Amino acid sequence: MYKHILIPTDGSDLSNAAIDQTLQLARTLGARVTALTVAEPLHFLPVTPGATASLRTDYEAHVKEDGIRILGAVEAKANAAGVPVETLQVTAGDAWQAIVDTAKAKGCDLIAMASHGRRGVSAFLMGSVTTKVLSHAKVPVLVYRS
């Protein structure tokens, strides 16, 4: 059935629940997983060149540390479950595009992700990464909701 599952995560509680469920599925299927976290690039209005450089350096260090923490937790869970895992952190303006592109580049045959389930105006204003992945992915998408 599925041999390589992509698990996008933002480190949230809902994402962690999806990770736990997906690792159980992967173990049952004998599949491997790639865990992905997507960092948003720094968007700001420069004040001074020195301040801009410092802000960018601090932001990039924070994002890298956060990714290491998030992906390290996934790696530990996968290892405990006996599931082969690869971790990947990318920076992209559109998380949904990074997810779809990573699934294609890594040869994943399933994307398993959490949905925060925003509805109404907040979904319209913020957009839904999950909805966009569902619309654009060329492989099946399994959505976890709480």
Side-chain angles (χ1 to χ4, degrees):
M1 187 168 219
Y2 300 113
K3 300 292 181 204
H4 189 184
I5 305 170
L6 178 64
I7 311 173
T9 179
D10 60 7
S12 67
D13 289 342
L14 183 58
S15 238
N16 288 332
I19 289 163
D20 294 341
Q21 294 291 316
T22 303
L23 290 174
Q24 287 180 23
L25 176 65
R27 184 178 57 218
T28 300
L29 297 174
R32 62 190 173 104
V33 301
T34 295
L36 170 70
T37 186
V38 181
E40 188 171 328
L42 179 62
H43 301 284
F44 62 91
L45 296 174
V47 179
T48 64
T52 300
S54 176
L55 179 61
R56 178 174 302 282
T57 301
D58 291 347
Y59 177 78
E60 288 172 355
H62 172 74
V63 165
K64 184 175 182 176
E65 289 170 11
D66 206 33
I68 290 169
R69 178 186 55 77
I70 291 168
L71 294 172
V74 177
E75 188 171 25
K77 287 180 178 185
N79 289 337
V83 174
V85 62
E86 175 186 1
T87 61
L88 181 63
Q89 181 177 19
V90 299
T91 301
D94 290 316
W96 71 267
Q97 186 70 60
I99 293 166
V100 170
D101 290 348
T102 300
K104 181 178 180 182
K106 294 291 183 179
C108 298
D109 51 9
L110 177 68
I111 300 169
M113 61 190 299
S115 174
H116 293 281
R118 292 184 182 94
R119 299 190 189 289
V121 174
S122 73
F124 175 74
L125 293 176
M126 297 175 69
S128 168
V129 171
T130 305
T131 299
K132 289 178 182 171
V133 170
L134 285 165
S135 298
H136 296 280
K138 302 294 185 205
V139 298
V141 180
L142 177 61
V143 179
Y144 290 94
R145 300 259 327 251
S146 64

